[in-house]
Amino acid sequence: GCGGSDDAELAGSWDEILEAANEEGEVVIYGTVAPDNLELLKQAFEKEYPEIELTYVRGTDADILPKVEIENQTGQGTADIHMTTDAGWIDRSLDAEYSVEVVGPSFDEEAYDRDASIIEDKWFVTSATVFGLAWNTEKLPEGLADPEDALASELAGGKVGVTNPAGIPTYVDMYRKIDVDFGENYVERLAEIQPRVYDSAVAIGQALASGEIWATPMSSSTVLTEKANGAPVEFVVPEKPFGVPWYSHVLSSSPHPNAAQVLADFLVTPEGQAAISHDFIACLPDIEGTGLGTDLQAQDVPLGDADELSSDAVQAYQDEWEQAFLG
Amino acid sequence: MMASFRISGLSKSYGSNVIVDDLDLEIDEGEFLVLLGPSGCGKTTTLRCLAGLETPEAGRIEFKGQAVYDSSARLNVPAHKRSIGMVFQSYALWPNMTVRRNIAYPLKVRKMKDAIAAGRVEETAEMVHCGHLLDRYPSQLSGGQQQRIALARGLSARPDLVLFDEPLSNLDARLRDQVRTEIHRLHESLGFGAVFVTHDQSEAFALGDKLAIMRAGTIEQLGTPDDVYNNPATDYVADFIGMSNRLELRRSATGWQTGDGVDVLVHRDLPDAEAVVARIWPEDVQLHRGNEPLPPHAVALSASLLSSEFGGRHYDVTVAAGSEEFRLRADAATHGSWLRSSTAGEPVAISFRPDQMQVYPLGEVAVDRPLVAAS
Amino acid sequence: MMASFRISGLSKSYGSNVIVDDLDLEIDEGEFLVLLGPSGCGKTTTLRCLAGLETPEAGRIEFKGQAVYDSSARLNVPAHKRSIGMVFQSYALWPNMTVRRNIAYPLKVRKMKDAIAAGRVEETAEMVHCGHLLDRYPSQLSGGQQQRIALARGLSARPDLVLFDEPLSNLDARLRDQVRTEIHRLHESLGFGAVFVTHDQSEAFALGDKLAIMRAGTIEQLGTPDDVYNNPATDYVADFIGMSNRLELRRSATGWQTGDGVDVLVHRDLPDAEAVVARIWPEDVQLHRGNEPLPPHAVALSASLLSSEFGGRHYDVTVAAGSEEFRLRADAATHGSWLRSSTAGEPVAISFRPDQMQVYPLGEVAVDRPLVAAS
Amino acid sequence: MLGVDLQRWRSRLFYGALVVALGYLIVMPVWRLQTLAFENDAAGYESQFGRPDIGETLRTTVGLAIASLVIAMVLGTLLAYATSRLPRRVGFLRIIPVLPIVMPSVANVVGWAFLLSPGPGYLNALMRQLPWWDHLDSGPVNVYSSTWIIIITGFGLTSFVYLFVSAGMQNISSEHLEAAQSSGSSQLGVFFKVVLPLLRPSLVYGGGVALLLGLGQFTGPLLLGQNEGMKVLTTEMYRRTSESPVNYAAAAAAASPLVIVGILVVLSQRFLLGNQARFVTHGGKSFAPAGGRSYWAAFFVGLYGFVALVLPLLGVLIVSLSPYWSENLSWDLFTLQNYREMVRTPGVMESVSTSVVTSLAAVAICVPVGLAVATLVVRNRHLTVVRTIADVITALPLGLPAVIFGVGFLLTYTQPPFILYGTKWVIILVYIVLMIPFATRMQMTALISMGNTYSEASAVSGASPLVTSLRVTLPMLKPAVLSAVALMFILLTHEFAASLMVRSATTQVMGTVLYDHWSNGSYTLVAAMAILMSAVTAAGVMVAMLVGGRNVLDNL
Ligand SMILES: Nc1ncnc2c1ncn2[C@@H]1O[C@H](COP(=O)(O)OP(=O)(O)OP(=O)(O)O)[C@@H](O)[C@H]1O
Ligand SMILES: Nc1ncnc2c1ncn2[C@@H]1O[C@H](COP(=O)(O)OP(=O)(O)OP(=O)(O)O)[C@@H](O)[C@H]1O
Ligand SMILES: [Mg+2]
Ligand SMILES: [Mg+2]
């Protein structure tokens, strides 16, 4: 791949980089993190670097990954930094020269733990999400204490919501993990109570708020936003939660290579974390508004195994899953 | 004979426009009535009220003594339950059905299976000389053939009353004559009652047992063709049926004279009128070359030639006499040779007998005859 | 006078259908030529080739000595570069333009600004008596008014040649007469060359300086109306122009006789023919009541009454004489009263003078006159 | 001397170039897709058609299309008949059957979900107040069942069928119906024996289009069909393009049956419409069914409007005003928060302007191109080959789901010779391709019904062909053009299936923003966005009506 435009080159020292970044004046991030967090990030970053305007683009991996690839192929870069949870793609990208090394000083802060956090000096852990138990407090006032409660017979026949893993490696990974972590044959027993199937975690959150379903063992923490809006929902992280870390990298097709480094650096500062990891798991300790009531840190959440998540493996699991849940 | 179909006090408006205005009309059994009138006078609307395709506001319509519409009894028999046939200007043959199915349709929907079995379809097609076209589609027929099939369709169920809405006006001159004669003969042999709408006076004269001349939603004159031709009731009727020559007369010391001061003898008593209008048929006006002697006792006017059109045994000549234009028919044998070589503007004279004039009070008022009674 | 517009050897086919077949025609300057023929004979196609709207396969068309189409030179001047005006059957006024803009259009696109400034639009509108309609849209006009405006549009640029494609056939009877007279007068005052297509023979006779009767893509007869009326070249022409009475004659020992054995004197020399067909105009046939004495020296046939239609000063009567049907005009004054009370089937007689017959060899062959030469 | 030939060659050259350009634009993306699907020994086909559930998928696709087609045909025809019988006083009701297309299909589907979701659906909640249902705690209607997906899809297609059928009805002269009535047919008899048979061409054509739309139906199965695992070809294509890694080859393969059916339908329509003479009813007066006008018709049209338009819109509106989707409605919960948030979200307002700009640009290009193609097909019968190709090519996009073009464009315009990715141009190009059939067909119909005489009258008046088209043809086509513009604007501002593929992250249109909200955000924002889209579309239509008069929608 070729880099950004000709006049966009990375400056020498960090100070020069900062100066060049101000010159560049803008930076673009693509991410799959919730839009609210990206908005918080924008505000925090522009407060810290008033001369640089941050633009964010929120999309699913299916949306964003092809675009990143195409921008790299064509050399028509738009994005500077890209943030994803797709382990397989991260793995493949290391051979494809999609990324440049990160140079910011914050990566070397002790609290960040560079060795545990950065892959090949390019991909750095940024945040993490965990899936938890959630319920509608009007329909189910007593709530859920652990995953086993979601299998109660009164919830059988469409009062529990689950996500369709169709083609999404992360969800396949989740089903495999909770089948062990949530108790013996958890997935099989879950299928037996005939839960309602949704296309995404977001859809489950909406259904929960509306009372269409009463509970779910696999809610994303974004239901907390609904809760803040007054919706009758509650969310807890179970003992052995399933989670996914977000990794970010600076793109080699970046049109603003200096600003990109500055933003990368900012992401792993406490200010950056307070924004990007709000209601998620931060990659630094003790950040206000993060952690979801646990003391987990993003580095504790392992990245999926790229081999187990090959498209053949995902397809095979999908067939199995459909047999159990929709068959 | 008792009137078989009777319309009384019929009124119909669209919004605030009164289209049919308290109209009375009777059609005897087997009678062929022609409704003649200018565009927009309400002919079609009247016909559609008769058919039941339009709902009038007031009045009563009787078919053979039975009311099919009565505003006071709130009765309105729908179109498909009246025994009618209808022939439209645009033929309105169903393009997706063969000729046979088109003609058979009225029999089928009226469940007249016996008639179909007895060959009524073929018989009716034969009557309009289209027996060989039964398996074609309408789009494969000429206009004249289509209109004949439409006629057959209107007649196949042998309805009591057949309604024609300008069925000939889409046909060209020669076909028009043929289909007209066809209709005439069919009527004579089948004897249905008929109402025929047209605004072509020659059609009306040729076909009608009786003529009704309509004007703005009412009947201005009802009579036999002969009666209407020779004694048009009003100036309006005279104008409409083609009595196109018009001469205004004013009372003079001795009697009546034209604007140019020519004395004209008027055979009618017109005590109150100060000015009248006289109407003369083009056929009754004689043409004279400038130097010819003029006939005695005739009204003679000097004029100048405007144009002449060859018509076979006659010429249609237009002349200007004073401020009026006159149309007349000049015999080709007598006038042909000089007319052909004459040019516009050539001085001529015209004459007509005073008793060939119809005289009406000036103005657009409808009047009863004799005029004395109207004054 | 030299022919101003000349068509020679014109041919045009659609696929394998030859529509116009090696046709020759000349139109003199200021001449009004009427193309008369049955539907589908190629009148419109010929007209469109003249206009440049259709590309012929072969032949040559000259406008005032200049070729505008020549198949051998591969020359084809497009329609908009020929100096023509055209009046369509369907008016074809542009509905989105006012009358004024419609009439001004030919001047504008030909960049004749001076003429517009000089008031040509108003003048032309005045000529068709529509000066007061200039600011209306076509949809606000009656059919007759629309056709007048179409006329004005066709004339406003004062083209050399004006083409009319059945401009009157969408108008009703009374309007047709009016607009026809209008066209006649405009032609006399402006003197343009004109080709007028119609299949109405009375229109053709009334308007034409010359008549061309077409048949299947060729000209069957070309002559003045008078000439065509009195001496139709062929049986086909005679039939088409309305000489509808037809009598087949066979050679007998003494001369010629009808199928029923009535002797008929034929004034022409017909050495080879065994059978001929005679044509007689309806106007030339006399009607006689059963008991009347028949005129001497006339061909007299006994017949039975079929139907009669009132026509004002005359009746259109159809009778059956032997196996033939005859149409004739009976004077209303003489025959009116008994005709009105007569019924179909009543025995009558008809007669006509032998010199009023046109005689042609039997069969559909086109022949030149005198018949002797054709045999 | 060379006049004839030169002129011929000039028009041949012009139309040839036009057809080549259109061919590249329309055929190339499909070609690219197929190349991809056949790569590596047709690995794409193998991966898509080797799936165990492919039979089920195909059956569902066909079943959904046919069942919803039947609903749409019946409703569309009845509506067309009913609107022709509206009492004069409520004649304005006749625009109701086309109004549902002003609402984006996502909004429509989501609206129904809000209303009829078995648990919190507002209508279900209402129905559970009724005595015979008060024992239920969910239902009685389950909008996620295939029955209801079919019904909702059928409703969505009804407007299209209506457009074709009512246009067909306008062409039946009233005398044909009165002839049947005076022959003794009752009103019902007239409808079945005369109206329906005469409508056959419109029914075949409208049915063909609705069938293709039904086969390409995406929103309903995707948004509502998850529960029961409903799979149709389009959702499969979507899955293949949204899994990781993206499998474009399999998506392309999944599209193939649709491409084939699409081409077949387009060709057979062409064939059927070629023999239309038997159905043309000439004659002056336009369709006005016999037997007068009826308030039942008004009631029926009104009811349809209420069910197909007002109800789902109401559902969406309520949700857009709520802080979260809930079955419990109370006035004090209503808030404009969602709208405020929507306006604040970066990109939303830009997406409105991008949508409007790209749609207008596409429309502005489509109109003259469509006119040129229509002129070629209608008026240049001597260019046999070119005109046949043009006719088929321009009908093609109607037969193919927009997603296909989206993917095809993504593949085509990210490679030389034209690298347009990331620009608005690629969106405009897709939009042009999607709309070419409408632009062409509508102008073609207008040209045909206009006839040749108007332009011939201009030619003999001395106007060259160019002057004629500028001064006569175009002004006379104005109503048809405006209607086409209105329809294209509506469809384009709602577009998201193709836009999703070719948008770049910073060039968003309204449809893609709505989609993003749907997949990442909350339904309340989706609802607000849907209302915004409807408002923008309605505003566009209003402008068209201001320019073109009230009957812009009637002329559709
Ligand atoms: N459906 C309608 N709504 C409103 N006005 C109408 C309607 N039908 C007819 N009219 C008006 O009623 C008047 C009479 O119409 P009608 O069709 O009866 O006339 P007509 O005598 O048949 O004329 P024509 O010879 O042109 O057919 C006309 O002025 C017409 O504009
Ligand atoms: N574009 C065409 N393609 C094929 N055949 C045609 C075309 N135009 C005309 N014809 C055929 O050519 C023949 C002559 O047509 P034309 O229009 O010249 O006849 P016409 O004498 O004007 O008849 P009418 O009096 O009916 O107008 C007809 O048989 C017609 O079917
Ligand atoms: Mg009428
Ligand atoms: Mg013609």
Side-chain angles (χ1 to χ4, degrees), chain D residues 103-104 106-107 316 342 514 525-535:
Chain D
M103 194 167 46
V106 180
V316 174
M342 180 177 72
L514 178 130
L525 268 178
V526 170
M529 191 67 207
I531 297 290
L532 174 69
M533 278 170 81
S534 305

Side-chain angles (χ1 to χ4, degrees), chain D residues 267-326:
Chain D
L267 287 180
S268 60
Q269 280 178 344
R270 238 184 80 76
F271 175 74
L272 287 169
L273 291 183
N275 298 328
Q276 231 184 348
R278 263 180 38 199
F279 299 92
V280 175
T281 72
H282 26 76
K285 294 151 199 155
S286 62
F287 188 89
R293 294 152 184 284
S294 139
Y295 279 91
W296 279 108
F299 176 75
F300 179 65
V301 173
L303 185 70
Y304 172 80
F306 181 72
V307 171
L309 182 68
V310 178
L311 274 185
L313 199 61
L314 214 58
V316 174
L317 196 65
I318 292 173
V319 173
S320 78
L321 291 172
S322 309
Y324 55 91
W325 176 25
S326 159

Side-chain angles (χ1 to χ4, degrees), chain A residues 157-233:
Chain A
K159 300 213 167 49
V160 170
V162 298
T163 332
N164 188 337
I168 302 174
T170 305
Y171 287 147
V172 171
D173 202 21
M174 174 176 74
Y175 273 101
R176 286 197 188 130
K177 291 260 168 58
I178 64 173
D179 199 31
V180 179
D181 291 349
F182 282 6
E184 198 75 1
N185 285 337
Y186 188 80
V187 172
E188 191 182 310
R189 287 185 290 137
L190 184 60
E192 272 163 15
I193 63 163
Q194 292 179 318
R196 202 172 273 285
V197 179
Y198 290 89
D199 200 36
S200 67
V202 177
I204 289 191
Q206 301 297 314
L208 205 58
S210 73
E212 186 168 84
I213 48 172
W214 294 8
T216 177
M218 48 186 78
S219 168
S220 119
S221 58
T222 47
V223 293
L224 291 173
T225 318
E226 300 300 316
K227 185 184 173 191
N229 282 338
V233 287

Side-chain angles (χ1 to χ4, degrees), chain C residues 232-256:
Chain C
T234 65
D235 189 31
Y236 169 87
V237 172
D239 185 42
F240 192 75
I241 61 175
M243 210 170 182
S244 52
N245 297 316
R246 189 175 184 282
L247 188 64
E248 283 188 21
L249 303 176
R250 329 216 114 255
R251 198 180 279 279
S252 71
T254 53
W256 297 89

Side-chain angles (χ1 to χ4, degrees), chain B residues 239-254:
Chain B
D239 184 41
F240 193 75
I241 61 175
M243 211 171 182
S244 53
N245 296 316
R246 187 175 185 282
L247 189 63
E248 283 188 22
L249 303 177
R250 328 218 114 253
R251 199 180 277 279
S252 70
T254 53

Side-chain angles (χ1 to χ4, degrees), chain C residues 259-335:
Chain C
D260 300 331
V262 178
D263 282 321
V264 176
L265 185 69
V266 171
H267 283 262
R268 301 241 163 104
D269 229 10
L270 294 156
D272 286 351
E274 265 311 298
V276 293
V277 54
R279 288 277 177 182
I280 310 101
W281 281 103
E283 289 88 336
D284 291 335
V285 180
Q286 304 299 318
L287 180 68
H288 310 276
R289 294 190 67 170
N291 47 6
E292 264 178 35
L294 296 172
H297 311 303
V299 180
L301 304 170
S302 61
S304 72
L305 194 66
L306 284 180
S307 71
S308 68
E309 296 175 350
F310 181 68
R313 289 284 172 264
H314 68 269
Y315 279 79
D316 286 308
V317 180
T318 315
V319 302
S323 57
E324 309 275 5
E325 270 185 26
F326 276 77
R327 279 178 74 84
L328 56 90
R329 304 212 125 180
D331 188 54
T334 338
H335 298 286

